[in-house]
Amino acid sequence: MTVRTQTLTLMPTSHWRSYLKLCKIKVVSLVVFTALVAMVLASPPGDLPWVTVLAATIGIALAGASAAAFNHIADREIDTVMGRTKNRPLPTGNITRTSATVFATTLGAVAMLILWTLVNPLTAVLTLLTLIGYAVVYTRYLKWIGPQNIVLGGASGAAPAMLGWCAITGTIGWEAFALFLIIFVWTTPHFWALAVARREEYAKAGVPMLPVTNGVAYTKRSIFAYAMVLIPVSYLPVTVGLSGPFYLIGATILGGMFAVRAYKLMYVDSDQLAMRLFGFSITYLTVLFALLLVDHYLPVHGWAW
């Protein structure tokens, strides 16, 4: 009786955790954070529309989770042959494809309903296009067309900041585009660092990532090139009057740290160092957007050129 009771108690918890894994919580958290920062930046200091912010945050989070779940479904076959993904819910059989599809569709539908009714129709439409862009266009097609797949697919990952701005203003301005470009350029060196460390797995799965098609040395040089480009791109919020000297100084320091790490990677044959760069890239983006947030509430901000 005791054993049976324990089994009945543990199974739902395990199942619930499997569905949670479909949502890629860590990835979606960063997505939501960038969108939230954009919402704050789009609002005058001290005049934040909390109801809209809360609704937009929930809607974008659910849409991100839906896209992640659809990504699991689309990648279920290659996930079985990659070491870092073979224990995902679909390859292990913890969740069926049908159940995952229902789950992903439900999350997406609820997200659209919230955004359309409680935020604004434009944000809902753009969020839907972003979801489709990542879950279908990138995952099913762009990922397989060649080594520039991450560059081409980066727009979906960069969109949430633009969605956050649109949620508050109902429009897409240069400020939103500046935030979009930062994440768009950041995505490539971020993901290629992971691809360097996991190149054998991608090769085994038949995914044409840059280190698989063009070699590790070429990929490392490309990572460094993008890290250098990211520095001036990170200054865009200053040029459009969205931030000031505090952010500018912080962005310069962070960009230099990223570039130095990318430069070192070119001359060291170490997958561990590549993973460290991958991890630092997440810290970079998080801190960069945190700087935007802090700068927004400082007495001196909006220092346009």
Side-chain angles (χ1 to χ4, degrees):
M1 176 64 92
T2 303
V3 174
R4 185 175 300 175
T5 302
Q6 289 178 344
T7 302
L8 290 174
T9 302
L10 292 175
M11 282 182 65
T13 303
S14 176
H15 206 51
W16 173 78
R17 287 179 178 176
S18 294
Y19 278 103
L20 195 61
K21 287 181 179 179
L22 289 181
C23 299
K24 297 186 179 180
I25 297 300
K26 291 183 179 180
V27 176
V28 172
S29 295
L30 185 57
V31 164
V32 172
F33 177 65
T34 59
L36 182 59
V37 170
M39 284 185 257
V40 174
L41 295 177
S43 307
D47 189 22
L48 197 65
W50 288 104
V51 174
T52 301
V53 169
L54 180 60
T57 300
I58 294 173
I60 293 172
L62 290 176
S66 173
F70 277 120
N71 177 258
H72 274 269
I73 297 167
D75 282 349
R76 65 191 182 282
E77 293 182 359
I78 65 172
D79 282 347
T80 61
V81 299
M82 296 182 65
R84 73 182 183 89
T85 58
K86 65 182 181 181
N87 292 321
R88 285 178 172 177
L90 286 170
T92 58
N94 290 338
I95 296 178
T96 65
R97 177 185 176 184
T98 300
S99 297
T101 302
V102 172
F103 177 69
T105 303
T106 301
L107 289 179
V110 173
M112 294 309 116
L113 180 63
I114 291 173
L115 294 173
W116 186 279
T117 59
L118 300 180
V119 183
N120 59 65
L122 180 58
T123 301
V125 170
L126 292 176
T127 303
L128 178 60
L129 292 175
T130 301
L131 194 162
I132 294 173
Y134 176 73
V136 179
V137 178
Y138 168 71
T139 304
R140 300 295 294 178
Y141 300 103
L142 293 181
K143 181 185 286 189
W144 304 96
I145 66 173
Q148 297 301 314
N149 45 16
I150 294 301
V151 179
L152 297 174
S156 296
M162 188 175 287
L163 299 178
W165 186 274
C166 183
I168 301 301
T169 66
T171 60
I172 301 174
W174 287 112
E175 299 90 345
F177 192 60
L179 299 176
F180 169 88
L181 279 179
I182 291 174
I183 306 176
F184 179 76
V185 174
W186 165 87
T187 299
T188 300
H190 161 71
F191 207 94
W192 275 346
L194 175 65
V196 166
R198 301 289 189 242
R199 60 191 178 278
E200 293 182 0
E201 295 182 13
Y202 282 115
K204 185 178 180 180
V207 182
M209 290 296 177
L210 190 64
V212 176
T213 61
N214 292 57
V216 173
Y218 181 85
T219 304
K220 289 180 177 181
R221 291 195 298 270
S222 299
I223 291 173
F224 176 68
Y226 270 91
M228 292 300 294
V229 171
L230 186 58
I231 295 176
V233 170
S234 69
Y235 296 159
L236 288 176
V238 180
T239 66
V240 297
L242 197 57
S243 60
F246 177 80
Y247 167 79
L248 180 64
I249 294 170
T252 301
I253 295 172
L254 281 172
M257 293 172 67
F258 200 155
V260 168
R261 283 166 169 76
Y263 181 81
K264 289 181 178 179
L265 182 62
M266 288 195 298
Y267 298 99
V268 179
D269 184 15
S270 171
D271 292 344
Q272 185 178 15
L273 191 61
M275 286 303 299
R276 287 179 184 173
L277 181 60
F278 172 75
F280 176 78
S281 68
I282 298 174
T283 301
Y284 167 89
L285 190 66
T286 304
V287 175
L288 190 73
F289 270 72
L291 288 172
L292 283 168
L293 195 61
V294 173
D295 188 276
H296 183 66
Y297 287 100
L298 290 177
V300 179
H301 70 280
W303 182 30
W305 291 352

